[in-house]
Amino acid sequence: MEKRSITTERIAAFGRYLRREEKAAGTVENYLRHVQRLAADLGGQTITKERVSAWKERLLREGLAPASVNAMLAAVNRFLAWAGLSDCRVKALRLQRRLFRDDSRELTRPEYLRLLETARTQGRERLALLLETICGTGIRVSEVRYVT
């Protein structure tokens, strides 16, 4: 077995390792799927840092979300560390976190007033009060049950 290639035997051994580490079944399945994808994309070529980096760029060009690419890289990097190929590991993409929701998802004042009016004209006073509470305080819907 070539030490710098991904074989089905190595992937199977990696899966056994992950199970011994008591990783969740879904995690093991995802990690193995991502490593298999890298192996297929490499087409039997030896693993180098440059090839793994080029694979990362190819995933982005294919239109995968940066978070998905990072999940795949986490699996591949874990495999590479396990296989003694830490020199081939690549850095995850830097993601800029959005602190707030997109403004287009916020209710405008006219939309809010129309919702209140509709609830009241339908005789749903409790719904109108609930809307006023949520919009007036900014609490999450899951927190409504704590309002007394």
Side-chain angles (χ1 to χ4, degrees):
M1 161 171 69
E2 169 65 39
K3 288 193 69 108
R4 297 193 71 84
S5 64
I6 304 174
T7 63
T8 55
E9 293 83 17
R10 275 186 123 172
I11 294 172
F14 180 57
R16 290 190 296 274
Y17 161 76
L18 292 172
R19 286 183 201 88
R20 279 194 312 273
E21 291 289 309
E22 299 181 8
K23 298 297 178 196
T27 301
V28 173
E29 181 184 324
N30 283 333
Y31 275 33
L32 295 179
R33 184 175 53 252
H34 299 322
V35 172
Q36 287 166 344
R37 174 153 184 194
L38 172 63
D41 288 353
L42 284 176
Q45 296 177 329
T46 58
I47 301 170
T48 64
K49 185 176 186 87
E50 292 74 23
R51 287 186 175 132
V52 177
S53 184
W55 180 71
K56 174 174 81 168
E57 296 303 320
R58 186 174 29 226
L59 294 175
L60 284 172
R61 281 193 310 273
E62 288 176 8
L64 269 68
S68 298
V69 173
N70 280 347
M72 295 173 87
L73 290 175
V76 166
N77 282 337
R78 181 76 181 259
F79 170 79
L80 293 171
W82 170 84
L85 300 169
S86 293
D87 60 310
C88 297
R89 294 171 61 190
V90 295
K91 291 185 178 180
L93 300 169
R94 293 180 57 106
L95 300 178
Q96 185 170 359
R97 298 282 177 203
R98 291 188 322 194
L99 297 178
F100 297 102
R101 183 180 342 262
D102 182 16
D103 287 345
S104 68
R105 295 193 60 189
E106 289 186 14
L107 280 178
T108 63
R109 182 157 182 81
E111 290 170 331
Y112 164 69
L113 293 174
R114 193 170 66 239
L115 281 173
L116 282 179
E117 181 184 338
T118 302
R120 289 203 169 102
T121 58
Q122 292 180 355
R124 301 183 71 186
E125 187 62 28
R126 285 182 62 139
L127 179 59
L129 291 171
L130 180 62
L131 285 168
E132 287 179 339
T133 302
I134 291 172
C135 295
T137 62
I139 65 171
R140 296 179 185 95
V141 172
S142 64
E143 299 170 330
V144 168
R145 65 179 177 214
Y146 301 113
V147 175
T148 58

